[in-house]
Amino acid sequence: MLSTTPRTTLGRAKDRSRTGREDLYAVLDAGLVCHLGVVAGGVPMVVPTGYGRIDDTLYLHGSTGATSLRAEGEVCVTVTHLDGIVLARSSFNHSMNYRCAMIYGRPRRVKDAEERLAALRAITEQLAPGRWDATRKPTPKELAATAVLALSLSEASVKVRQGPPLDEEEDYALPIWAGVLPLHQSWGTPEPDPAMTADLPVPDHVASRTIPVR
Amino acid sequence: MLSTTPRTTLGRAKDRSRTGREDLYAVLDAGLVCHLGVVAGGVPMVVPTGYGRIDDTLYLHGSTGATSLRAEGEVCVTVTHLDGIVLARSSFNHSMNYRCAMIYGRPRRVKDAEERLAALRAITEQLAPGRWDATRKPTPKELAATAVLALSLSEASVKVRQGPPLDEEEDYALPIWAGVLPLHQSWGTPEPDPAMTADLPVPDHVASRTIPVR
């Protein structure tokens, strides 16, 4: 079960709330980018960034010089999948179908060499499965330039909306088309780096990903 | 030209910075959802939400009860398009191709009836072009339940990464496939609301959108 702190308990649209840990994992594991919110100099800052998950820990990384990773205090990490536009009979009831996870907490800076490497592997594999083993591993210099943060998944909420519009009772009789326009993501054809000197085939871990994302 | 305040001037990866207002408009106008960052109770909160733009003002809306719209102080609104995964020869140089806009400022609560309606129209049209004129307009009761915020586009930054990986000089000789795996978005087949009583055809403003998003 997920936490039930005030900020992870929905005040409105409670029917959109999901409370299982597997719901959280599903939203996170299907994502590619999260939006990391920090407070820097008293004001919020929201940056898109990659992430990885190992069990109940979310890992983030970036340059040791990045403002967003140097900020102190609590953060909010949000992962959103937009699945479709909900076209209602009234403008008021227009909506989106989506899956969204929000995680709150104070990240821990990862210093242990083994955990740092595992985290970087998870982040790389989230973005590009199969890539960690296929590429050159980080050098000590690269590792020194990389900050790794760990955020516990102990305080999180998941919100999901799916299905047709919900209109006002009296609006259903209106002669207005209503429904959902689904939004899909898909992988395109791999584009080899023009700087590749050898004539290497597209590896399986890339080619096999050229299927719809969902 | 966009602003050059410290927080909108890139400290790293300066070559990814775009400084024209038209670059900002292009990222915003192509988007469907933004991530709104606020500080609530001293901690950051990042929520996905719709938005609309009229000239140099970004509009947001939501329930008058929403925590994210009731928070005081400055906000950060981020719109991100993920265009592809950049597969480098080293794990360190893996990246994403993306277009991202970040807007900072203190939003103004819109009270003027005419501006509120124009804002709601812009937000609806951003999500679903052609939909405002095709659907029932908001009632006074619906309008009373809706908070509308205006955020000036005066302090904003745009960051764009496109193209193949950038590897370390000595890595180009490695026998590792490198390139970009593009990520595409597309509209699916419209799904009529099963609750529709009349046999209405899919309107043009919905059907004509069933083309790739980009």
Side-chain angles (χ1 to χ4, degrees), chain B residues 34-192:
Chain B
C34 69
H35 280 82
L36 166 65
V38 303
V39 180
V43 300
M45 180 183 188
V46 178
V47 291
T49 186
Y51 65 91
R53 180 180 76 84
I54 299 178
D55 300 330
D56 279 316
T57 303
L58 194 86
Y59 289 102
L60 304 167
H61 79 321
S63 160
T64 50
T67 308
S68 54
L69 295 192
R70 282 162 60 196
E72 302 273 314
E74 301 217 18
V75 305
C76 175
V77 170
T78 301
V79 173
T80 307
H81 304 275
L82 182 57
D83 295 324
I85 311 296
V86 180
L87 305 164
R89 291 153 184 89
S90 64
S91 61
F92 183 77
N93 283 311
H94 274 63
S95 187
M96 305 183 195
N97 280 338
Y98 62 89
R99 293 160 289 147
C100 178
M102 293 173 65
I103 304 144
Y104 295 94
R106 188 179 292 269
R108 164 176 64 88
R109 189 167 287 261
V110 181
K111 290 174 179 163
D112 177 75
E114 200 174 319
E115 186 182 5
R116 278 170 59 84
L117 217 55
L120 293 174
R121 181 191 180 109
I123 294 166
T124 303
E125 290 289 303
Q126 178 83 24
L127 202 63
R131 205 64 193 160
W132 183 261
D133 287 335
T135 53
R136 175 178 67 68
K137 303 296 174 295
T139 63
K141 191 183 162 191
E142 288 171 345
L143 287 169
T146 306
V148 178
L149 298 185
L151 181 63
S152 162
L153 296 182
S154 57
E155 193 177 354
S157 66
V158 175
K159 211 169 151 184
V160 175
R161 195 217 183 275
Q162 303 292 322
L166 286 176
D167 271 304
E168 306 304 319
E169 203 49 46
E170 61 271 26
D171 288 340
Y172 279 93
L174 293 173
I176 298 173
W177 188 92
V180 171
L181 183 59
L183 184 63
H184 297 298
Q185 280 195 307
S186 58
W187 298 111
T189 306
E191 298 167 354

Side-chain angles (χ1 to χ4, degrees), chain A residues 7 12 35 43 46 63 78 80 88-89 91 94 131 136 171 177-180 182 184-186 188-189 191 193, chain B residues 7 12 35 43 46 63 78 80 88-91 94 131 136 171 177-180 182 184-186 188-189 191 193:
Chain A
R7 60 184 175 180
R12 296 162 303 109
H35 279 83
V43 300
V46 179
S63 161
T78 300
T80 306
R89 292 152 185 89
S91 61
H94 273 63
R131 204 65 193 160
R136 175 178 67 70
D171 288 341
W177 188 92
V180 171
H184 298 299
Q185 280 195 307
S186 58
T189 306
E191 298 167 353
D193 184 354
Chain B
R7 61 184 177 180
R12 296 165 303 110
H35 280 82
V43 300
V46 178
S63 160
T78 301
T80 307
R89 291 153 184 89
S90 64
S91 61
H94 274 63
R131 205 64 193 160
R136 175 178 67 68
D171 288 340
W177 188 92
V180 171
H184 297 298
Q185 280 195 307
S186 58
T189 306
E191 298 167 354
D193 184 354

